[in-house]
Amino acid sequence: MNINLGVRLFAWSIVILIVSVLVLTFRGLYPLELKYIDLVPIRSFIHPDSSAPDPPVREFTLWSNQDSPEQYLRNVLKVAAKLKKAGVRVIVVPVPPTTTLDLKTQDLVRSIGTYNNVVFGDALKTSPAFQNNSEKELDAQDNWWTEHPMNNLVDMDWGVSSARANSRSTLFRFVPNQYREFTKGYTVPDVALQAVKKFESIPDNGVITQHFNTVTVGPYRVPVWEDGFAYVKAFIGPYLNDPIYAFTAPMGDSLRYAGQWVRGREQPVTDSTWATLSGKIVVISWPFMTTGAKWQWIAYGRVYAQLIGAILMNRFVHRYNQWDLAIVFLMIILAGALVFSVRTPLAVTFLVIAQGFVLYVAVWLFKSHDILYDPTYVLFTLALSTAVLPVAKMSHERGYYKKQFEIAEENAALLEKKMKELTNQKRKV
């Protein structure tokens, strides 16, 4: 029995291995990838009393009661003048995807660009807002193309907004330096790198160096993984609170400024309030940065304040999934040996516990050590082994005992026949 059972479990293990490798190779569980991060409590990302210094980057929210890109750019021009006067070193200005290319808009963009501390960014590459592409299509490196925000009609410092985020905004990822401009084909760095480059006063012709697993800009290094992304864990600190925000009056287009709310009271905006932004990078955030009616669930400014801060403070998540194939192979061997050697209910219990343990370790590594290990495909292999191998064993045992029972019945019938023959012989004697 043991030899036949071993052969059957080995055959099914080979089937599980083939299925697992195919699913892993073609990313068949893409919608489930990195979803485990949502299990991490949100409080794990809040650091109100952290001794680590805050990065020199702030968000500046621009609230308005209309979604006109032209009026938005007019407001940005006014805000940029204020920020320049306050001593802000870099202003990141996202250009709405609905911006037209008429002469008025071009003149506004040129006027904003005259403040030599401005870097423009295009729209976030998110689905479904961005050209109705799926997230998987956006992840494909063959699709890493973008368009100049003003179709190359205006000379401007700009970068691609390649950032993506998970459903709870606890993990950000971006493509540092692999997007290309659609019309002319030149490489476009992410706007976060462009902002850091201007922050460090690196000349426009300064090279952003692309290595196999690292992108270097000045003294800063960005780790890049096999999929082309750099990963950042949310670091929710006081620096994300807007010291100043601007809003348009309900009736009219006049721009007003307000400060933070403290103990239920809005703080006045004074020269000292503006001075808190001196020497920093300020990211403009506008609530209408979408291509359609669907509301952008995470603000542009909140994303890029954290990405730029991660580059400046070297706060990156290190991803380790290159050993998935070896781990899948090992898990199948261990699952097969376990099912073969112990009783089926106990084997199923151990396999279920193993799935929970793998998930727990992955969450713990991300939460406590900034290590990103996505267990999706290992869990799939364990779940498949749990569903298939015990059934195969029970099927074999059922067949084995059924055959043994049939043999026993045949032996009993044969024995009964012999007993009758012996009885008949004795009677004749």
Side-chain angles (χ1 to χ4, degrees), residues 3 48 55 69 72 102 128 133 151 153 159-160 185 191 231 252 261 274 286 314 318 350 356 368 390 408 412 416:
I3 295 178
Y72 158 76
D102 58 74
N133 288 329
N151 199 25
L153 297 174
V160 62
V191 68
Y231 289 86
W261 286 75
W274 286 102
W286 188 52
N314 192 29
H318 302 278
F350 276 125
S368 303
E416 184 179 358

Side-chain angles (χ1 to χ4, degrees), residues 345-404:
L346 188 60
V348 172
T349 302
F350 276 125
L351 288 174
V352 172
I353 292 174
Q355 295 173 52
F357 179 74
V358 169
L359 182 60
Y360 171 80
V361 170
V363 171
W364 174 72
L365 288 173
F366 180 72
K367 175 184 173 182
S368 303
H369 298 281
D370 293 345
I371 293 176
L372 185 66
Y373 177 74
D374 187 358
T376 299
Y377 293 97
V378 172
L379 290 176
F380 171 75
T381 298
L382 283 173
L384 198 60
S385 299
T386 305
V388 173
L389 295 181
V391 174
K393 181 179 180 180
M394 289 188 295
S395 175
H396 174 80
E397 290 176 341
R398 181 182 178 184
Y400 173 80
Y401 289 119
K402 182 179 180 180
K403 186 176 181 180
Q404 293 292 27

Side-chain angles (χ1 to χ4, degrees), residues 147-398:
E147 296 181 355
H148 190 283
M150 297 302 296
N151 199 25
N152 293 298
L153 297 174
V154 179
D155 186 18
M156 56 197 292
D157 293 333
W158 74 288
V160 62
S161 304
S162 66
R164 323 271 174 75
N166 75 313
S167 59
R168 297 182 66 201
S169 307
T170 52
L171 179 70
F172 303 99
R173 55 197 177 103
F174 68 105
V175 181
N177 195 42
Q178 293 188 47
Y179 265 83
R180 303 183 73 84
E181 202 277 328
F182 185 78
T183 304
K184 298 187 177 181
Y186 55 84
T187 301
V188 185
D190 189 272
V191 68
L193 269 70
Q194 295 286 58
V196 170
K197 183 178 175 182
K198 190 172 285 291
F199 181 77
E200 290 292 335
S201 301
I202 299 173
D204 292 340
N205 59 356
V207 177
I208 295 177
T209 307
Q210 175 81 46
H211 301 287
F212 174 71
N213 59 356
T214 305
V215 172
T216 303
V217 51
Y220 303 102
R221 295 167 60 87
V222 180
V224 181
W225 307 103
E226 293 178 351
D227 57 2
F229 285 95
Y231 289 86
V232 174
K233 184 169 73 172
F235 189 89
I236 305 174
Y239 77 97
L240 291 176
N241 298 325
D242 300 15
I244 307 172
Y245 67 93
F247 63 96
T248 56
M251 303 299 293
D253 298 328
S254 60
L255 198 62
R256 300 181 183 180
Y257 300 93
Q260 292 182 1
W261 286 75
V262 178
R263 296 177 181 176
R265 297 184 61 183
E266 186 179 76
Q267 301 302 299
V269 177
T270 63
D271 290 342
S272 60
T273 311
W274 286 102
T276 60
L277 300 176
S278 179
K280 294 181 173 60
I281 300 173
V282 172
V283 185
I284 302 294
S285 190
W286 188 52
F288 293 102
M289 281 294 299
T290 59
T291 55
K294 192 175 182 67
W295 186 268
Q296 185 65 53
W297 57 270
I298 180 168
Y300 187 103
R302 180 56 57 95
V303 173
Y304 271 96
Q306 298 203 54
L307 292 187
I308 294 170
I311 297 173
L312 296 175
M313 308 301 290
N314 192 29
R315 293 174 179 165
F316 292 99
V317 173
H318 302 278
R319 183 166 190 178
Y320 295 97
N321 273 100
Q322 59 269 40
W323 298 102
D324 269 354
L325 183 59
I327 295 175
V328 163
F329 184 73
L330 177 62
M331 288 297 175
I332 293 174
I333 293 176
L334 294 177
L338 180 67
V339 172
F340 178 81
S341 57
V342 304
R343 290 183 299 172
T344 302
L346 188 60
V348 172
T349 302
F350 276 125
L351 288 174
V352 172
I353 292 174
Q355 295 173 52
F357 179 74
V358 169
L359 182 60
Y360 171 80
V361 170
V363 171
W364 174 72
L365 288 173
F366 180 72
K367 175 184 173 182
S368 303
H369 298 281
D370 293 345
I371 293 176
L372 185 66
Y373 177 74
D374 187 358
T376 299
Y377 293 97
V378 172
L379 290 176
F380 171 75
T381 298
L382 283 173
L384 198 60
S385 299
T386 305
V388 173
L389 295 181
V391 174
K393 181 179 180 180
M394 289 188 295
S395 175
H396 174 80
E397 290 176 341
R398 181 182 178 184

